[in-house]
């Protein structure tokens, strides 16, 4: 599959992370942490807005960080929609309530990571980098 040149150009500078969380306070903290770590960050409160942002950028996002439990379309559904259109986007789920009710009925998409709230301040950055690195390793493996 041919990769659009935009993603390659985007790679040269900062990696772009799209953060989705319906709790404004959590969203602000996550965006601030990732920005401090040197990522370009887009923050949004819901899945439909996230998809809109992604499409507006032609999929030029390296990583999706999304809350699992959200009103409307949940994080799992959002990730599936994103990966369907843009298979190269990495996915990191963040969840504070993985009890039986909220636990995803469907398995997490392939190559996705899960981070459970509450997490240490630099944990999000560490996991984001890990997920990005794993995605790149996977992508290189499949491009023979």
């Amino acid at each position: 599959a041919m990769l659009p040149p935009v993603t390659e150009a985007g790679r040269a500078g900062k990696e772009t992370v799209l953060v989705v969380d319906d709790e404004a306070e959590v969203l602000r903290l996550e965006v601030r942490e990732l920005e401090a770590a040197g990522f370009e960050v887009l923050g949004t409160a819901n899945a439909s807005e996230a998809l809109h942002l992604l499409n507006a950028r032609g999929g030029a996002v390296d990583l999706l960080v999304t809350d699992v439990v959200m009103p409307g379309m949940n994080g799992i559904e959002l990730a599936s929609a994103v990966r369907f259109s843009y298979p190269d986007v990495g996915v990191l789920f963040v969840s504070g309530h993985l009890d039986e009710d909220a636990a995803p009925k469907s398995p997490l998409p392939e190559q996705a990571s899960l981070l459970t709230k509450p997490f240490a301040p630099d944990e999000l950055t560490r996991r984001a980098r890990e997920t990005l690195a794993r995605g790149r390793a996977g992508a290189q493996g499949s491009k023979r």
Side-chain angles (χ1 to χ4, degrees):
M2 289 277 291
L3 275 179
V6 271
T7 50
E8 291 310 316
R11 284 274 144 67
K14 299 179 169 190
E15 284 164 313
T16 304
V17 182
L18 175 56
V19 183
V20 191
D21 200 303
D22 60 304
E23 295 175 59
E25 185 61 23
V26 176
L27 181 64
R28 211 177 69 226
L29 289 170
E30 291 177 344
V31 167
R32 194 188 305 152
E33 181 190 329
L34 289 165
E35 279 179 343
F39 291 105
E40 183 189 336
V41 188
L42 305 166
T44 174
N46 62 65
S48 56
E49 199 170 300
L51 287 169
H52 178 77
L53 270 171
L54 195 62
N55 289 326
R57 295 178 66 97
V61 165
D62 298 287
L63 181 67
L64 168 69
V65 175
T66 178
D67 194 17
V68 174
V69 182
M70 296 187 288
M73 184 191 256
N74 70 33
I76 309 283
E77 293 164 335
L78 169 61
S80 301
V82 168
R83 292 295 277 277
F84 182 76
S85 303
Y86 309 108
D88 293 325
V89 176
V91 178
L92 174 58
F93 291 108
V94 177
S95 180
H97 13 236
L98 273 187
D99 53 27
E100 282 313 297
D101 298 336
K105 301 283 177 276
S106 50
L108 296 181
E110 190 192 344
Q111 292 180 330
S113 325
L114 176 67
L115 174 60
T116 336
K117 295 179 202 168
F119 44 83
D122 56 352
E123 184 72 2
L124 177 60
T125 300
R126 195 175 65 76
R127 293 296 297 277
R129 291 211 168 104
E130 247 171 47
T131 307
L132 282 162
R134 207 171 59 211
R136 272 195 295 273
Q140 278 149 16
S142 63
K143 285 204 182 70
R144 283 198 257 289

